[in-house]
Amino acid sequence: MIVVMQPDNTKEQLDHVVKLVEEMGLTSHIIYGTNRTVVAAVGDKRMVDKGAIENLPGVEKIVLILSPYKVASREVKHENTIIKLQPNGAQLGAERICMIAGPCSVEDRRQLLDTAAAVKETGGVGLRGGAFKPRTSPYSFQGLAEKGLEYLAEARAQTGLAVVTEVLAVAHVDLVARYADVLQVGARNMQNFMLLKAVGEQEKPVLLKRGMSATMEEFLLAAEYIINAGNSNVILCERGIRTFEEYCRNTLALTLVAAIKRVSHLPIIVDPTHGTGHTYLVEPMSLAAVAAGADGLIIEVHPDPEHALTDAGQQIDFNQFRNLMKKLARVARAVDREL
Ligand code: PEP
Ligand code: MN
């Protein structure tokens, strides 16, 4: 349930509500909106006497949350959540469409630094690149691990780009958080609940990719795990789902972008690279994603896609990225956004 405070409530009144909610065995989340402060009280409410809270000084009303996800829902927080990718860096979820680009995997120092320079020069705000790679085959390249993280940090020092990189395991959360600005939880780990809790217990923003067979509700409940663990900076990412279609690596479900905007306050970006699996489909799907209301894109860009160690068939080169950005700027303007 949501405890809606009166507009002029005092800090003491708010503290008192939080105390009572917690005494009732519920978890409380204070959400400061532009007009109202609300306390989302989450947990098993069977034994809770709502009347006791409703009568407290400073409380306006109690509203029951109908959706299974609570703190990720727009019922709890009306305004869009805006997330800073770095403490003084770009904001995701505001007017500007955030472009995060870089190779599928960090392969070597030169590859990464050259790509970072190109991404920066073309107008990107984030640098992606996997140091720990979730690979279907144990015989495929698994990533450079900590060495890859070091190259990412060096690229940030040179360009100022926010580093977005995947964390595969609970045991790696501290290590990855030491180097990254944003921790990515990949599609294969969307329901790794221990990992969701672990990234929720650290402070860096989390990029949560939709599982390839996850429904919207499961996706938002996964985000809810992270928020409930203490980290409300969750960026959702639609990256396509598995369907009967075999030609495309995944089916990019852009419907979800608009649907998420309706039911949740969290920002959502789109990955047109894994969402399609083909270089030539990255541009049209990027344009479509921005038109559909995405707050940003995460795209695989490689200096020499043909020779990429991973995902060679879907990465775009620097020129293709530059051309894409020009077209995207026009679509962004058409939907009242900036690039
Ligand atoms: C990736 O972004 O490198 C990746 C592995 O993506 P996904 O988890 O969406 O498959
Ligand atoms: Mn990839």
Side-chain angles (χ1 to χ4, degrees), residues 104 128 133-134 166 184 186-188 209 239 271 274 300:
C104 177
R128 62 147 289 142
K133 294 301 299 176
E166 179 159 357
Q184 175 174 323
R188 290 155 193 79
K209 297 189 101 178
R239 48 78 73 205
D271 175 347
H274 295 93
E300 286 184 350

Side-chain angles (χ1 to χ4, degrees), residues 66-133:
L66 299 175
S67 59
Y69 38 89
K70 313 289 178 195
V71 284
S73 143
R74 258 206 211 277
E75 292 180 75
V76 163
K77 180 168 177 259
H78 186 68
E79 308 94 76
N80 291 334
T81 290
I82 296 176
I83 296 174
K84 280 198 184 128
L85 299 182
Q86 287 168 305
N88 293 312
Q91 293 192 323
L92 198 145
E95 212 161 282
R96 183 168 180 199
I97 309 281
C98 287
M99 296 297 287
I100 301 166
C104 177
S105 308
V106 180
E107 297 171 8
D108 59 66
R109 184 168 174 271
R110 212 42 291 143
Q111 172 241 21
L112 190 72
L113 296 182
D114 288 352
T115 309
V119 168
K120 175 71 183 182
E121 183 216 294
T122 314
V125 298
L127 174 67
R128 62 147 289 142
F132 293 95
K133 294 301 299 176

